[in-house]
Amino acid sequence: MVGPASGSVQTLFDFTRLDQLNDWTEQSDTAKPSGMSKAVLALQKSQLFQRAIFFSLFVPKASGAGFAAIRTETNFDLREYHYIAIKCRGQGVNFKYKMVLRHKGLGRDSAVYGQVFTVAENEFATVKLPLGDFKPYYRGLPLPLETHPLDLSAITNMGIKVDNGPYLPDNQPGVSALEIDWIKAVK
């Protein structure tokens, strides 16, 4: 999972080289009885390139609540880094995503740290997410950062999601694709 650090960059996931994505799992609103969204992370392989594609079918409830997400267990120490960089492009109805991190092996009943980002449409670009801008949430509600700091030395879960609500009010029901070449930590 973790690539070798080369100076100011550490490769976290290089989807142009991975053989499989079995460590990534869906974590969508279908975990609840009323959920109807779907998320899949798949490898796209051709004779010229390979990358991961996060496909999402976002089907919010009448209230607008819902989410389609993928995540993986990790073991990253990111104390020496300032950003998470993602080389990606978007297609479909939604271009706003949220990266989520968890730390210290804590699960569903703990804070999740999120940051919203916008991807370029139909053109690859590198999106930089400052590690200092990941904010704590519990079940969608913001928590005070001073009492819930993110422990960058023990990032044990990473995910990407499409959802709606106060943080992503522009997202629409429908199908989207986020093509990803790599995710790196950058100083």
Side-chain angles (χ1 to χ4, degrees), residues 37-40 53-60 68 90-95 97 162 171-178:
S37 299
K38 179 70 180 168
V40 174
I53 303 178
F54 169 38
F55 291 105
S56 60
L57 171 61
F58 179 53
V59 185
Q91 294 186 45
V93 297
N94 291 311
F95 297 92
Y97 292 85
V162 171
N171 278 350
Q172 301 296 314
V175 178
S176 300
L178 178 64

Side-chain angles (χ1 to χ4, degrees), residues 26-85:
E26 179 183 14
Q27 299 295 315
S28 297
D29 61 17
T30 52
K32 299 175 182 179
S34 61
M36 296 186 296
S37 299
K38 179 70 180 168
V40 174
L41 188 68
L43 275 179
Q44 178 188 24
K45 294 183 180 187
S46 79
Q47 293 181 11
L48 301 176
F49 66 88
Q50 174 180 303
R51 65 180 50 104
I53 303 178
F54 169 38
F55 291 105
S56 60
L57 171 61
F58 179 53
V59 185
K61 296 187 285 188
S63 67
F67 60 95
I70 46 111
R71 71 178 183 184
T72 187
E73 301 300 315
T74 62
N75 186 20
F76 300 140
D77 180 347
L78 302 180
R79 286 177 291 184
E80 301 294 319
Y81 298 93
H82 298 101
Y83 300 94
I84 292 178

Side-chain angles (χ1 to χ4, degrees), residues 33-169:
S34 61
M36 296 186 296
S37 299
K38 179 70 180 168
V40 174
L41 188 68
L43 275 179
Q44 178 188 24
K45 294 183 180 187
S46 79
Q47 293 181 11
L48 301 176
F49 66 88
Q50 174 180 303
R51 65 180 50 104
I53 303 178
F54 169 38
F55 291 105
S56 60
L57 171 61
F58 179 53
V59 185
K61 296 187 285 188
S63 67
F67 60 95
I70 46 111
R71 71 178 183 184
T72 187
E73 301 300 315
T74 62
N75 186 20
F76 300 140
D77 180 347
L78 302 180
R79 286 177 291 184
E80 301 294 319
Y81 298 93
H82 298 101
Y83 300 94
I84 292 178
I86 309 167
K87 184 177 179 189
C88 60
R89 73 174 168 191
Q91 294 186 45
V93 297
N94 291 311
F95 297 92
K96 291 189 178 184
Y97 292 85
K98 185 188 294 182
M99 175 168 276
V100 292
L101 304 174
R102 290 189 188 274
H103 63 180
K104 300 187 257 187
L106 299 175
R108 289 179 64 155
D109 290 328
S110 64
V112 63
Y113 297 80
Q115 186 172 157
V116 173
F117 62 99
T118 303
V119 299
E121 182 177 357
N122 298 321
E123 183 175 316
F124 274 93
T126 300
V127 176
K128 288 186 176 180
L129 306 175
L131 286 165
D133 289 351
F134 279 85
K135 304 294 185 225
Y137 299 90
Y138 181 72
R139 299 187 188 250
L141 300 173
L143 297 171
L145 185 58
E146 50 281 351
T147 57
H148 295 86
L150 176 60
D151 184 352
L152 292 174
S153 72
I155 302 299
T156 54
N157 190 286
M158 179 180 284
I160 300 173
K161 69 190 297 188
V162 171
D163 64 1
N164 204 324
Y167 313 110
L168 293 168

